[in-house]
Amino acid sequence: MGDLSRVQPVFTHISSLLQTRGKALLLVIILGFGGNFQSGYHFTALSSPTPFIQSFINSSWYERWKEIPPPQTVTVIWSLIVSSFAIGGFCGALCVKFVAGITGRKKGVICSGCIAVIAAVIMLASKPAKSFEMIIVARILAGYSAGFGWSFHIIYLSEISPKNIRGRVTLTSANFMSLGRLSGQLFGLTEILGREELWNVAIALPACFSVLQVLVFPFLPESPRYLFIEKQDKEACRKALQTLWGPGNYKQEMDEMFTEQASIEAAHSKGPLQLLKDKTVRWQLVTIVLIYWFNQLSGMSASFLIERVGRRPLFWGGYGAMCTTWVVVTILLNLKLGAGAGTLCSEIFIQSDRLAASVIVGMLRWLVIAVVGFVFPFLIKSLGSYTFVLFACVCLLASLYTFFILPETKGKTMLEITEEFKAITVCGKSSPKETITETKL
């Protein structure tokens, strides 16, 4: 039910895009199903077919060596299959800046789709080939595509959106993630595709959307901000905006890009290590790393209220509510009773820092996914229902941090948000000042 409730806002966001006269809606849908939908699907697709895959490991081992594998061996191989997706995601996030610098946003998305298709082909072939190693390879490639595509998905959405609806558009990435999780659970059921004869089809299924993405995306426009700020092609930027949002001169949006471009002309695009050493973006880095770690450890998801009430109240209020929820869950279990963070990275870094920040956040995101996936069974075994107290503590910390530290980003330009972070003071100290020259038109 949790995934279903988080999927519902996607229809609200998409219906608001129906009012546009360009291709923005098509781009959001194709990018969503080829992007974060894939990640969400693969997170849950293994749940139901688990016994059949473990049986396949036993049978393929016996076919090869004519002996039944020890239970510990099957457990190790199964753990590799599960964790290999996060390993691939980590590697994919690591390569984002390098690939984006060579191909740009649009070709990077197409590249991600191609890798997902290759992973699906290997997964489909693993069963007839009787090779559990191919499953591991397929999961690594699928994870690589997901880690790669996750960063491009967020960046692309933020760079095509006018600031007045930026939150609404970028939040669709989280909605498609939840839709993917729900679909993975649904198609993984034994009544549908999670059967012994079809489990490999169930895992490879989302690649159908990747094929669609590879075929359609060449006909969609490149990111307008990328064209204006990095390629310095003003006319191509205007045409991309018109293709996405319909006829218009888009002077306000292009003025904002021009101001941002003027402010970063003296600064070269930073790599991840350079960004980590840059004290002027210290609070942005601290904030985004903590928010994404809190996110992965709590299951927080923003709602369609983001444009109405702002980001900051949703973050601290949401984490506070989840803290209370996990405390209640712990109490109910002991009594034997039953019953958009993605937007932030794209908003708090200017163009020259955004890719490097995505690399850092992406690597940490996939690292925490791997750690939680590995550690959680041991926590359940040792702490039982009190495991959820840990989630409550994480949510409480997140609520306090975002209430007292995180500036509001709603309706502000990238430069305005940067200045908000520089004004943060803790113990009487603030971030180092860096002169930013704004060019007035």
Side-chain angles (χ1 to χ4, degrees), residues 228-240:
F228 191 109
I229 298 176
E230 298 189 31
K231 304 301 288 185
Q232 299 182 359
D233 192 336
K234 180 178 179 180
E235 193 54 37
C237 171
R238 191 189 308 277
K239 288 180 180 178

Side-chain angles (χ1 to χ4, degrees), residues 18-89:
L18 283 171
Q19 301 172 15
T20 66
R21 292 169 290 169
K23 296 182 179 179
L25 175 61
L26 177 62
L27 187 146
V28 167
I29 293 174
I30 297 296
L31 188 62
F33 279 110
N36 269 10
F37 178 88
Q38 306 276 328
S39 300
Y41 189 98
H42 285 291
F43 281 141
T44 58
L46 288 182
S47 299
S48 295
T50 296
F52 304 125
I53 299 175
Q54 291 176 334
S55 175
F56 173 75
I57 294 170
N58 275 291
S59 61
S60 58
W61 184 284
Y62 185 82
E63 284 277 338
R64 202 173 303 172
W65 289 289
K66 303 303 179 185
E67 62 177 21
I68 298 174
Q72 298 89 340
T73 302
V74 176
T75 302
V76 169
I77 295 173
W78 173 247
S79 298
L80 282 173
I81 290 173
V82 174
S83 61
S84 57
F85 183 73
I87 294 171

Side-chain angles (χ1 to χ4, degrees), residues 81 100 126 131 137 264 276 339:
I81 290 173
S126 64
S131 172
V137 172
I264 63 176
L276 287 171

Side-chain angles (χ1 to χ4, degrees), residues 266-380:
H268 297 290
S269 180
K270 300 183 183 75
L273 292 179
Q274 293 172 309
L275 193 67
L276 287 171
K277 295 176 182 178
D278 188 350
K279 293 182 179 180
T280 63
V281 294
R282 177 184 60 188
W283 279 111
Q284 285 99 313
L285 284 172
V286 170
T287 297
I288 201 65
V289 168
L290 288 177
I291 289 296
Y292 272 90
W293 276 67
F294 290 148
N295 225 23
Q296 295 302 322
L297 294 172
S298 67
M300 191 278 286
S301 180
S303 71
F304 67 92
L305 296 174
I306 191 167
E307 289 299 335
R308 184 170 301 176
V309 302
R311 280 64 153 173
R312 184 171 168 269
L314 284 174
F315 273 113
W316 68 258
Y319 280 123
M322 285 189 291
C323 173
T324 305
T325 300
W326 284 125
V327 171
V328 172
V329 167
T330 303
I331 295 172
L332 291 177
L333 285 174
N334 278 281
L335 293 176
K336 306 302 181 185
L337 300 175
T343 67
L344 200 59
C345 186
S346 62
E347 292 186 333
I348 66 176
F349 291 97
I350 59 175
Q351 192 82 6
S352 59
D353 298 340
R354 192 174 298 124
L355 278 176
S358 294
V359 171
I360 294 169
V361 171
M363 290 191 300
L364 290 174
R365 174 181 186 261
W366 290 101
L367 178 62
V368 76
I369 288 173
V371 170
V372 171
F374 182 79
V375 171
F376 188 74
F378 298 98
L379 289 176
I380 288 291

Side-chain angles (χ1 to χ4, degrees), residues 22-23 220-224 227-228 233-250 254:
K23 296 182 179 179
L220 295 174
E222 178 60 275
S223 157
L227 292 171
F228 191 109
D233 192 336
K234 180 178 179 180
E235 193 54 37
C237 171
R238 191 189 308 277
K239 288 180 180 178
L241 285 169
Q242 291 170 341
T243 302
L244 286 167
W245 303 104
N249 61 8
Y250 296 95
M254 295 184 71

Side-chain angles (χ1 to χ4, degrees), residues 23-264:
K23 296 182 179 179
L25 175 61
L26 177 62
L27 187 146
V28 167
I29 293 174
I30 297 296
L31 188 62
F33 279 110
N36 269 10
F37 178 88
Q38 306 276 328
S39 300
Y41 189 98
H42 285 291
F43 281 141
T44 58
L46 288 182
S47 299
S48 295
T50 296
F52 304 125
I53 299 175
Q54 291 176 334
S55 175
F56 173 75
I57 294 170
N58 275 291
S59 61
S60 58
W61 184 284
Y62 185 82
E63 284 277 338
R64 202 173 303 172
W65 289 289
K66 303 303 179 185
E67 62 177 21
I68 298 174
Q72 298 89 340
T73 302
V74 176
T75 302
V76 169
I77 295 173
W78 173 247
S79 298
L80 282 173
I81 290 173
V82 174
S83 61
S84 57
F85 183 73
I87 294 171
F90 181 90
C91 296
L94 183 64
C95 297
V96 167
K97 181 172 173 57
F98 173 75
V99 176
I102 297 175
T103 66
R105 277 51 164 168
K106 181 176 172 178
K107 291 180 181 177
V109 170
I110 296 172
C111 179
S112 172
C114 291
I115 296 171
V117 173
I118 294 172
V121 170
I122 295 174
M123 180 62 73
L124 290 173
S126 64
K127 195 162 183 275
K130 296 182 173 60
S131 172
F132 55 81
E133 296 90 346
M134 291 178 69
I135 301 177
I136 297 173
V137 172
R139 289 275 292 173
I140 290 175
L141 288 176
Y144 184 91
S145 172
F148 196 69
W150 175 81
S151 296
F152 272 105
H153 191 175
I154 300 294
I155 292 169
Y156 217 118
L157 289 178
S158 69
E159 293 186 358
I160 69 168
S161 311
K163 70 176 181 180
N164 61 317
I165 60 168
R166 188 175 59 221
R168 214 177 312 164
V169 174
T170 54
L171 193 60
T172 59
S173 63
N175 300 144
F176 277 105
M177 171 75 80
S178 295
L179 183 61
R181 287 178 181 270
L182 181 64
S183 299
Q185 293 171 342
L186 179 64
F187 288 104
L189 293 174
T190 53
E191 293 81 1
I192 303 179
L193 293 177
R195 304 194 297 272
E196 187 167 10
E197 64 274 18
L198 291 175
W199 58 261
N200 57 333
V201 177
I203 300 174
L205 184 65
C208 296
F209 294 111
S210 296
V211 173
L212 181 64
Q213 184 183 65
V214 171
L215 294 176
V216 174
F217 227 77
F219 302 99
L220 295 174
E222 178 60 275
S223 157
R225 295 185 73 87
Y226 170 76
L227 292 171
F228 191 109
I229 298 176
E230 298 189 31
K231 304 301 288 185
Q232 299 182 359
D233 192 336
K234 180 178 179 180
E235 193 54 37
C237 171
R238 191 189 308 277
K239 288 180 180 178
L241 285 169
Q242 291 170 341
T243 302
L244 286 167
W245 303 104
N249 61 8
Y250 296 95
K251 184 178 184 301
Q252 182 180 354
E253 287 76 15
M254 295 184 71
D255 285 353
E256 179 191 334
M257 295 180 205
F258 185 80
T259 304
E260 185 177 342
Q261 182 190 46
S263 71
I264 63 176

